[in-house]
mmCIF file of all heavy atoms in Angstrom:
data_model
loop_
_atom_site.group_PDB
_atom_site.id
_atom_site.type_symbol
_atom_site.label_atom_id
_atom_site.label_comp_id
_atom_site.label_asym_id
_atom_site.label_seq_id
_atom_site.Cartn_x
_atom_site.Cartn_y
_atom_site.Cartn_z
ATOM 1 N N PHE O 1 -16.352 10.649 -5.046
ATOM 2 C CA PHE O 1 -17.521 11.281 -5.586
ATOM 3 C C PHE O 1 -17.414 12.781 -5.757
ATOM 4 O O PHE O 1 -17.940 13.358 -6.724
ATOM 5 C CB PHE O 1 -18.791 10.924 -4.793
ATOM 6 C CG PHE O 1 -19.071 9.442 -4.785
ATOM 7 C CD1 PHE O 1 -19.137 8.756 -3.616
ATOM 8 C CD2 PHE O 1 -19.282 8.790 -5.979
ATOM 9 C CE1 PHE O 1 -19.386 7.406 -3.593
ATOM 10 C CE2 PHE O 1 -19.560 7.412 -5.974
ATOM 11 C CZ PHE O 1 -19.630 6.742 -4.804
ATOM 12 N N ASN O 2 -16.675 13.426 -4.879
ATOM 13 C CA ASN O 2 -16.560 14.859 -5.000
ATOM 14 C C ASN O 2 -15.693 15.248 -6.217
ATOM 15 O O ASN O 2 -15.704 16.431 -6.616
ATOM 16 C CB ASN O 2 -16.065 15.521 -3.695
ATOM 17 C CG ASN O 2 -14.717 14.961 -3.241
ATOM 18 O OD1 ASN O 2 -14.460 13.755 -3.343
ATOM 19 N ND2 ASN O 2 -13.826 15.848 -2.765
ATOM 20 N N PHE O 3 -14.954 14.320 -6.780
ATOM 21 C CA PHE O 3 -14.244 14.582 -8.053
ATOM 22 C C PHE O 3 -14.784 13.702 -9.193
ATOM 23 O O PHE O 3 -14.177 13.679 -10.242
ATOM 24 C CB PHE O 3 -12.748 14.267 -7.843
ATOM 25 C CG PHE O 3 -12.058 15.349 -7.007
ATOM 26 C CD1 PHE O 3 -11.625 15.034 -5.751
ATOM 27 C CD2 PHE O 3 -11.832 16.616 -7.522
ATOM 28 C CE1 PHE O 3 -11.002 16.002 -4.983
ATOM 29 C CE2 PHE O 3 -11.181 17.590 -6.753
ATOM 30 C CZ PHE O 3 -10.767 17.275 -5.479
ATOM 31 N N ASP O 4 -15.891 13.029 -8.982
ATOM 32 C CA ASP O 4 -16.521 12.131 -9.987
ATOM 33 C C ASP O 4 -15.499 11.243 -10.652
ATOM 34 O O ASP O 4 -15.375 11.187 -11.861
ATOM 35 C CB ASP O 4 -17.194 13.054 -11.059
ATOM 36 C CG ASP O 4 -18.331 13.857 -10.529
ATOM 37 O OD1 ASP O 4 -19.079 13.335 -9.666
ATOM 38 O OD2 ASP O 4 -18.508 15.028 -10.935
ATOM 39 N N PHE O 5 -14.829 10.487 -9.783
ATOM 40 C CA PHE O 5 -13.697 9.675 -10.249
ATOM 41 C C PHE O 5 -13.704 8.316 -9.646
ATOM 42 O O PHE O 5 -14.109 8.118 -8.500
ATOM 43 C CB PHE O 5 -12.385 10.423 -9.813
ATOM 44 C CG PHE O 5 -11.177 10.112 -10.641
ATOM 45 C CD1 PHE O 5 -11.095 10.558 -11.932
ATOM 46 C CD2 PHE O 5 -10.166 9.363 -10.108
ATOM 47 C CE1 PHE O 5 -9.973 10.285 -12.678
ATOM 48 C CE2 PHE O 5 -9.044 9.065 -10.897
ATOM 49 C CZ PHE O 5 -8.956 9.539 -12.184
ATOM 50 N N PHE O 6 -13.237 7.295 -10.430
ATOM 51 C CA PHE O 6 -13.199 5.918 -9.987
ATOM 52 C C PHE O 6 -11.827 5.355 -10.435
ATOM 53 O O PHE O 6 -11.386 5.516 -11.588
ATOM 54 C CB PHE O 6 -14.290 5.073 -10.588
ATOM 55 C CG PHE O 6 -14.196 3.614 -10.339
ATOM 56 C CD1 PHE O 6 -14.389 3.108 -9.063
ATOM 57 C CD2 PHE O 6 -13.848 2.758 -11.373
ATOM 58 C CE1 PHE O 6 -14.269 1.699 -8.838
ATOM 59 C CE2 PHE O 6 -13.766 1.361 -11.145
ATOM 60 C CZ PHE O 6 -13.948 0.879 -9.842
ATOM 61 N N THR O 7 -11.143 4.678 -9.478
ATOM 62 C CA THR O 7 -9.909 3.987 -9.777
ATOM 63 C C THR O 7 -10.000 2.538 -9.358
ATOM 64 O O THR O 7 -10.493 2.256 -8.260
ATOM 65 C CB THR O 7 -8.750 4.659 -9.029
ATOM 66 O OG1 THR O 7 -8.633 6.041 -9.428
ATOM 67 C CG2 THR O 7 -7.428 3.953 -9.253
ATOM 68 N N THR O 8 -9.453 1.660 -10.176
ATOM 69 C CA THR O 8 -9.338 0.246 -9.810
ATOM 70 C C THR O 8 -8.020 -0.277 -10.329
ATOM 71 O O THR O 8 -7.446 0.291 -11.237
ATOM 72 C CB THR O 8 -10.508 -0.616 -10.355
ATOM 73 O OG1 THR O 8 -10.412 -1.914 -9.788
ATOM 74 C CG2 THR O 8 -10.486 -0.718 -11.837
ATOM 75 N N GLY O 9 -7.541 -1.323 -9.654
ATOM 76 C CA GLY O 9 -6.263 -1.889 -10.142
ATOM 77 C C GLY O 9 -5.713 -2.911 -9.151
ATOM 78 O O GLY O 9 -6.381 -3.358 -8.225
ATOM 79 N N THR O 10 -4.429 -3.220 -9.345
ATOM 80 C CA THR O 10 -3.703 -4.097 -8.496
ATOM 81 C C THR O 10 -2.306 -3.520 -8.259
ATOM 82 O O THR O 10 -1.860 -2.659 -9.044
ATOM 83 C CB THR O 10 -3.552 -5.524 -9.061
ATOM 84 O OG1 THR O 10 -2.816 -5.446 -10.282
ATOM 85 C CG2 THR O 10 -4.927 -6.166 -9.311
ATOM 86 N N ALA O 11 -1.669 -3.927 -7.234
ATOM 87 C CA ALA O 11 -0.296 -3.496 -6.928
ATOM 88 C C ALA O 11 0.395 -4.582 -6.102
ATOM 89 O O ALA O 11 -0.260 -5.448 -5.530
ATOM 90 C CB ALA O 11 -0.339 -2.180 -6.152
ATOM 91 N N ILE O 12 1.674 -4.472 -6.029
ATOM 92 C CA ILE O 12 2.450 -5.340 -5.169
ATOM 93 C C ILE O 12 3.009 -4.420 -4.056
ATOM 94 O O ILE O 12 3.650 -3.386 -4.318
ATOM 95 C CB ILE O 12 3.634 -6.000 -5.885
ATOM 96 C CG1 ILE O 12 3.146 -6.853 -7.035
ATOM 97 C CG2 ILE O 12 4.474 -6.830 -4.924
ATOM 98 C CD1 ILE O 12 2.323 -8.050 -6.685
ATOM 99 N N TYR O 13 2.744 -4.789 -2.776
ATOM 100 C CA TYR O 13 3.331 -4.176 -1.583
ATOM 101 C C TYR O 13 4.604 -4.835 -1.213
ATOM 102 O O TYR O 13 4.612 -6.092 -1.172
ATOM 103 C CB TYR O 13 2.346 -4.285 -0.400
ATOM 104 C CG TYR O 13 1.352 -3.168 -0.222
ATOM 105 C CD1 TYR O 13 0.106 -3.271 -0.773
ATOM 106 C CD2 TYR O 13 1.659 -2.081 0.565
ATOM 107 C CE1 TYR O 13 -0.851 -2.279 -0.552
ATOM 108 C CE2 TYR O 13 0.735 -1.081 0.797
ATOM 109 C CZ TYR O 13 -0.534 -1.171 0.224
ATOM 110 O OH TYR O 13 -1.489 -0.214 0.471
ATOM 111 N N TRP O 14 5.615 -4.088 -0.802
ATOM 112 C CA TRP O 14 6.836 -4.610 -0.183
ATOM 113 C C TRP O 14 6.886 -3.900 1.135
ATOM 114 O O TRP O 14 7.061 -2.698 1.218
ATOM 115 C CB TRP O 14 8.059 -4.321 -1.004
ATOM 116 C CG TRP O 14 8.106 -5.027 -2.303
ATOM 117 C CD1 TRP O 14 8.585 -6.289 -2.563
ATOM 118 C CD2 TRP O 14 7.652 -4.556 -3.602
ATOM 119 N NE1 TRP O 14 8.467 -6.626 -3.882
ATOM 120 C CE2 TRP O 14 7.875 -5.544 -4.555
ATOM 121 C CE3 TRP O 14 7.060 -3.356 -4.039
ATOM 122 C CZ2 TRP O 14 7.567 -5.396 -5.878
ATOM 123 C CZ3 TRP O 14 6.714 -3.211 -5.322
ATOM 124 C CH2 TRP O 14 6.965 -4.229 -6.237
ATOM 125 N N ASP O 15 6.785 -4.623 2.229
ATOM 126 C CA ASP O 15 6.800 -4.057 3.596
ATOM 127 C C ASP O 15 7.990 -4.560 4.389
ATOM 128 O O ASP O 15 8.484 -5.691 4.175
ATOM 129 C CB ASP O 15 5.531 -4.483 4.362
ATOM 130 C CG ASP O 15 4.275 -3.870 3.803
ATOM 131 O OD1 ASP O 15 4.357 -2.865 3.014
ATOM 132 O OD2 ASP O 15 3.174 -4.297 4.220
ATOM 133 N N ARG O 16 8.378 -3.761 5.348
ATOM 134 C CA ARG O 16 9.353 -4.132 6.399
ATOM 135 C C ARG O 16 8.648 -3.900 7.714
ATOM 136 O O ARG O 16 7.947 -2.902 7.921
ATOM 137 C CB ARG O 16 10.625 -3.306 6.324
ATOM 138 C CG ARG O 16 11.417 -3.550 5.064
ATOM 139 C CD ARG O 16 12.814 -2.911 5.126
ATOM 140 N NE ARG O 16 13.693 -3.612 6.031
ATOM 141 C CZ ARG O 16 14.319 -4.770 5.777
ATOM 142 N NH1 ARG O 16 14.105 -5.385 4.666
ATOM 143 N NH2 ARG O 16 15.116 -5.320 6.709
ATOM 144 N N TYR O 17 8.846 -4.866 8.631
ATOM 145 C CA TYR O 17 8.186 -4.834 9.917
ATOM 146 C C TYR O 17 9.251 -4.873 10.987
ATOM 147 O O TYR O 17 10.318 -5.454 10.798
ATOM 148 C CB TYR O 17 7.264 -6.043 10.108
ATOM 149 C CG TYR O 17 6.311 -6.221 8.954
ATOM 150 C CD1 TYR O 17 6.527 -7.119 7.936
ATOM 151 C CD2 TYR O 17 5.135 -5.459 8.915
ATOM 152 C CE1 TYR O 17 5.669 -7.274 6.896
ATOM 153 C CE2 TYR O 17 4.217 -5.614 7.872
ATOM 154 C CZ TYR O 17 4.494 -6.509 6.878
ATOM 155 O OH TYR O 17 3.591 -6.651 5.821
ATOM 156 N N ILE O 18 8.902 -4.210 12.082
ATOM 157 C CA ILE O 18 9.786 -4.247 13.287
ATOM 158 C C ILE O 18 8.902 -4.609 14.460
ATOM 159 O O ILE O 18 7.780 -4.173 14.589
ATOM 160 C CB ILE O 18 10.514 -2.892 13.445
ATOM 161 C CG1 ILE O 18 11.620 -2.966 14.526
ATOM 162 C CG2 ILE O 18 9.522 -1.783 13.755
ATOM 163 C CD1 ILE O 18 12.612 -1.825 14.476
ATOM 164 N N LYS O 19 9.491 -5.391 15.376
ATOM 165 C CA LYS O 19 8.747 -5.820 16.554
ATOM 166 C C LYS O 19 9.259 -4.986 17.758
ATOM 167 O O LYS O 19 10.420 -5.012 18.076
ATOM 168 C CB LYS O 19 8.951 -7.253 16.861
ATOM 169 C CG LYS O 19 8.004 -7.896 17.850
ATOM 170 C CD LYS O 19 8.213 -9.379 17.900
ATOM 171 C CE LYS O 19 7.122 -10.106 18.676
ATOM 172 N NZ LYS O 19 7.385 -11.569 18.700
ATOM 173 N N GLU O 20 8.319 -4.224 18.331
ATOM 174 C CA GLU O 20 8.624 -3.392 19.517
ATOM 175 C C GLU O 20 7.656 -3.710 20.642
ATOM 176 O O GLU O 20 6.425 -3.763 20.393
ATOM 177 C CB GLU O 20 8.553 -1.923 19.189
ATOM 178 C CG GLU O 20 9.627 -1.453 18.278
ATOM 179 C CD GLU O 20 9.619 0.089 18.077
ATOM 180 O OE1 GLU O 20 8.639 0.765 18.462
ATOM 181 O OE2 GLU O 20 10.594 0.623 17.477
ATOM 182 N N ASN O 21 8.157 -3.924 21.826
ATOM 183 C CA ASN O 21 7.324 -4.219 23.017
ATOM 184 C C ASN O 21 6.335 -5.380 22.730
ATOM 185 O O ASN O 21 5.193 -5.302 23.159
ATOM 186 C CB ASN O 21 6.567 -2.951 23.445
ATOM 187 C CG ASN O 21 7.511 -1.849 23.769
ATOM 188 O OD1 ASN O 21 8.519 -2.047 24.492
ATOM 189 N ND2 ASN O 21 7.207 -0.629 23.352
ATOM 190 N N GLY O 22 6.854 -6.351 21.989
ATOM 191 C CA GLY O 22 6.013 -7.573 21.701
ATOM 192 C C GLY O 22 5.013 -7.396 20.580
ATOM 193 O O GLY O 22 4.274 -8.349 20.326
ATOM 194 N N HIS O 23 4.999 -6.249 19.857
ATOM 195 C CA HIS O 23 3.991 -6.036 18.783
ATOM 196 C C HIS O 23 4.712 -5.718 17.512
ATOM 197 O O HIS O 23 5.641 -4.900 17.487
ATOM 198 C CB HIS O 23 3.022 -4.887 19.178
ATOM 199 C CG HIS O 23 2.258 -5.163 20.406
ATOM 200 N ND1 HIS O 23 1.171 -6.001 20.404
ATOM 201 C CD2 HIS O 23 2.402 -4.707 21.632
ATOM 202 C CE1 HIS O 23 0.673 -6.060 21.613
ATOM 203 N NE2 HIS O 23 1.386 -5.268 22.393
ATOM 204 N N TRP O 24 4.252 -6.280 16.410
ATOM 205 C CA TRP O 24 4.780 -5.970 15.112
ATOM 206 C C TRP O 24 4.167 -4.679 14.621
ATOM 207 O O TRP O 24 3.007 -4.394 14.788
ATOM 208 C CB TRP O 24 4.454 -7.089 14.136
ATOM 209 C CG TRP O 24 5.267 -8.317 14.332
ATOM 210 C CD1 TRP O 24 4.884 -9.455 15.016
ATOM 211 C CD2 TRP O 24 6.623 -8.528 13.962
ATOM 212 N NE1 TRP O 24 5.904 -10.348 15.023
ATOM 213 C CE2 TRP O 24 6.992 -9.823 14.386
ATOM 214 C CE3 TRP O 24 7.573 -7.788 13.284
ATOM 215 C CZ2 TRP O 24 8.272 -10.330 14.175
ATOM 216 C CZ3 TRP O 24 8.847 -8.276 13.028
ATOM 217 C CH2 TRP O 24 9.160 -9.545 13.509
ATOM 218 N N LEU O 25 5.056 -3.822 13.997
ATOM 219 C CA LEU O 25 4.672 -2.571 13.406
ATOM 220 C C LEU O 25 5.173 -2.465 11.978
ATOM 221 O O LEU O 25 6.200 -3.072 11.634
ATOM 222 C CB LEU O 25 5.297 -1.408 14.181
ATOM 223 C CG LEU O 25 4.919 -1.287 15.691
ATOM 224 C CD1 LEU O 25 5.771 -0.230 16.355
ATOM 225 C CD2 LEU O 25 3.444 -0.968 15.832
ATOM 226 N N ILE O 26 4.470 -1.726 11.160
ATOM 227 C CA ILE O 26 4.977 -1.462 9.781
ATOM 228 C C ILE O 26 6.005 -0.400 9.850
ATOM 229 O O ILE O 26 5.727 0.747 10.282
ATOM 230 C CB ILE O 26 3.796 -1.090 8.899
ATOM 231 C CG1 ILE O 26 2.745 -2.192 8.826
ATOM 232 C CG2 ILE O 26 4.273 -0.723 7.501
ATOM 233 C CD1 ILE O 26 1.371 -1.777 8.194
ATOM 234 N N ARG O 27 7.199 -0.738 9.485
ATOM 235 C CA ARG O 27 8.338 0.238 9.482
ATOM 236 C C ARG O 27 8.524 0.936 8.135
ATOM 237 O O ARG O 27 8.961 2.011 8.039
ATOM 238 C CB ARG O 27 9.642 -0.505 9.918
ATOM 239 C CG ARG O 27 10.885 0.328 9.889
ATOM 240 C CD ARG O 27 10.763 1.409 10.950
ATOM 241 N NE ARG O 27 11.938 2.269 11.030
ATOM 242 C CZ ARG O 27 12.132 3.341 10.308
ATOM 243 N NH1 ARG O 27 11.243 3.766 9.457
ATOM 244 N NH2 ARG O 27 13.240 4.083 10.459
ATOM 245 N N GLU O 28 8.220 0.145 7.084
ATOM 246 C CA GLU O 28 8.318 0.675 5.704
ATOM 247 C C GLU O 28 7.241 -0.009 4.871
ATOM 248 O O GLU O 28 7.057 -1.206 4.999
ATOM 249 C CB GLU O 28 9.708 0.379 5.127
ATOM 250 C CG GLU O 28 9.912 0.858 3.752
ATOM 251 C CD GLU O 28 11.342 0.582 3.231
ATOM 252 O OE1 GLU O 28 12.251 0.379 4.020
ATOM 253 O OE2 GLU O 28 11.467 0.546 1.981
ATOM 254 N N THR O 29 6.599 0.765 4.025
ATOM 255 C CA THR O 29 5.610 0.219 3.154
ATOM 256 C C THR O 29 5.737 0.871 1.791
ATOM 257 O O THR O 29 5.768 2.110 1.707
ATOM 258 C CB THR O 29 4.159 0.279 3.722
ATOM 259 O OG1 THR O 29 3.245 -0.375 2.819
ATOM 260 C CG2 THR O 29 3.679 1.665 3.958
ATOM 261 N N ARG O 30 5.837 0.044 0.746
ATOM 262 C CA ARG O 30 5.999 0.529 -0.591
ATOM 263 C C ARG O 30 5.068 -0.256 -1.497
ATOM 264 O O ARG O 30 4.807 -1.459 -1.246
ATOM 265 C CB ARG O 30 7.396 0.348 -1.122
ATOM 266 C CG ARG O 30 8.474 0.989 -0.389
ATOM 267 C CD ARG O 30 9.862 0.751 -0.939
ATOM 268 N NE ARG O 30 10.323 -0.647 -0.765
ATOM 269 C CZ ARG O 30 10.640 -1.487 -1.764
ATOM 270 N NH1 ARG O 30 10.534 -1.142 -3.008
ATOM 271 N NH2 ARG O 30 10.982 -2.693 -1.483
ATOM 272 N N TYR O 31 4.529 0.321 -2.544
ATOM 273 C CA TYR O 31 3.869 -0.445 -3.596
ATOM 274 C C TYR O 31 4.080 0.161 -4.940
ATOM 275 O O TYR O 31 4.410 1.364 -5.041
ATOM 276 C CB TYR O 31 2.410 -0.708 -3.292
ATOM 277 C CG TYR O 31 1.405 0.406 -3.486
ATOM 278 C CD1 TYR O 31 1.218 1.047 -4.750
ATOM 279 C CD2 TYR O 31 0.542 0.776 -2.475
ATOM 280 C CE1 TYR O 31 0.272 2.054 -4.918
ATOM 281 C CE2 TYR O 31 -0.426 1.729 -2.637
ATOM 282 C CZ TYR O 31 -0.516 2.369 -3.872
ATOM 283 O OH TYR O 31 -1.455 3.341 -4.057
ATOM 284 N N GLU O 32 3.994 -0.673 -5.907
ATOM 285 C CA GLU O 32 3.992 -0.240 -7.314
ATOM 286 C C GLU O 32 2.802 -0.944 -7.998
ATOM 287 O O GLU O 32 2.586 -2.112 -7.831
ATOM 288 C CB GLU O 32 5.266 -0.563 -8.001
ATOM 289 C CG GLU O 32 5.386 0.010 -9.428
ATOM 290 C CD GLU O 32 6.741 -0.042 -10.016
ATOM 291 O OE1 GLU O 32 7.711 -0.345 -9.307
ATOM 292 O OE2 GLU O 32 6.827 0.125 -11.245
ATOM 293 N N ARG O 33 2.076 -0.162 -8.773
ATOM 294 C CA ARG O 33 0.946 -0.697 -9.512
ATOM 295 C C ARG O 33 1.330 -1.736 -10.530
ATOM 296 O O ARG O 33 2.297 -1.526 -11.283
ATOM 297 C CB ARG O 33 0.167 0.400 -10.184
ATOM 298 C CG ARG O 33 -0.626 1.308 -9.259
ATOM 299 C CD ARG O 33 -1.840 0.603 -8.794
ATOM 300 N NE ARG O 33 -2.744 1.531 -8.085
ATOM 301 C CZ ARG O 33 -3.875 1.139 -7.585
ATOM 302 N NH1 ARG O 33 -4.295 -0.106 -7.670
ATOM 303 N NH2 ARG O 33 -4.644 1.969 -7.001
ATOM 304 N N ILE O 34 0.588 -2.847 -10.625
ATOM 305 C CA ILE O 34 0.638 -3.768 -11.743
ATOM 306 C C ILE O 34 -0.213 -3.175 -12.874
ATOM 307 O O ILE O 34 0.262 -3.142 -14.010
ATOM 308 C CB ILE O 34 0.106 -5.163 -11.352
ATOM 309 C CG1 ILE O 34 0.907 -5.709 -10.176
ATOM 310 C CG2 ILE O 34 0.109 -6.119 -12.491
ATOM 311 C CD1 ILE O 34 2.402 -5.930 -10.441
ATOM 312 N N TYR O 35 -1.391 -2.730 -12.508
ATOM 313 C CA TYR O 35 -2.226 -1.954 -13.473
ATOM 314 C C TYR O 35 -3.109 -1.000 -12.673
ATOM 315 O O TYR O 35 -3.367 -1.220 -11.480
ATOM 316 C CB TYR O 35 -3.018 -2.826 -14.421
ATOM 317 C CG TYR O 35 -4.259 -3.498 -13.828
ATOM 318 C CD1 TYR O 35 -5.470 -2.810 -13.885
ATOM 319 C CD2 TYR O 35 -4.204 -4.710 -13.246
ATOM 320 C CE1 TYR O 35 -6.622 -3.362 -13.333
ATOM 321 C CE2 TYR O 35 -5.345 -5.306 -12.686
ATOM 322 C CZ TYR O 35 -6.543 -4.601 -12.787
ATOM 323 O OH TYR O 35 -7.712 -5.197 -12.224
ATOM 324 N N GLU O 36 -3.523 0.052 -13.348
ATOM 325 C CA GLU O 36 -4.431 1.058 -12.760
ATOM 326 C C GLU O 36 -5.319 1.568 -13.826
ATOM 327 O O GLU O 36 -4.863 1.955 -14.909
ATOM 328 C CB GLU O 36 -3.589 2.203 -12.157
ATOM 329 C CG GLU O 36 -4.419 3.299 -11.514
ATOM 330 C CD GLU O 36 -3.501 4.383 -10.996
ATOM 331 O OE1 GLU O 36 -2.886 4.148 -9.922
ATOM 332 O OE2 GLU O 36 -3.417 5.456 -11.615
ATOM 333 N N ILE O 37 -6.637 1.551 -13.574
ATOM 334 C CA ILE O 37 -7.608 2.096 -14.473
ATOM 335 C C ILE O 37 -8.305 3.257 -13.778
ATOM 336 O O ILE O 37 -8.851 3.070 -12.673
ATOM 337 C CB ILE O 37 -8.642 1.026 -14.917
ATOM 338 C CG1 ILE O 37 -7.913 -0.181 -15.603
ATOM 339 C CG2 ILE O 37 -9.727 1.612 -15.801
ATOM 340 C CD1 ILE O 37 -8.804 -1.374 -15.847
ATOM 341 N N ASN O 38 -8.308 4.400 -14.422
ATOM 342 C CA ASN O 38 -8.949 5.623 -13.851
ATOM 343 C C ASN O 38 -10.064 5.994 -14.831
ATOM 344 O O ASN O 38 -9.828 6.068 -16.042
ATOM 345 C CB ASN O 38 -7.960 6.727 -13.764
ATOM 346 C CG ASN O 38 -6.822 6.414 -12.771
ATOM 347 O OD1 ASN O 38 -7.089 6.221 -11.614
ATOM 348 N ND2 ASN O 38 -5.625 6.332 -13.288
#
């Protein structure tokens, strides 16, 4: 709202996870938009 702007769309995430001390963590996260409307 402070820029009077709206974005909608979709994307595909590609993540890598690592398990440390019994818990999964996000080690890498990437996405690329399928479409974006501003």
Side-chain angles (χ1 to χ4, degrees):
F1 297 121
N2 58 318
F3 288 108
D4 297 321
F5 205 71
F6 173 71
T7 299
T8 188
T10 63
I12 302 293
Y13 269 92
W14 294 272
D15 291 347
R16 294 191 70 77
Y17 307 98
I18 190 165
K19 193 174 193 180
E20 289 186 349
N21 302 316
H23 299 284
W24 287 100
L25 300 171
I26 300 169
R27 177 64 179 92
E28 181 178 337
T29 185
R30 300 180 291 120
Y31 75 58
E32 186 169 347
R33 287 285 191 181
I34 301 298
Y35 77 89
E36 179 180 285
I37 299 169
N38 297 297

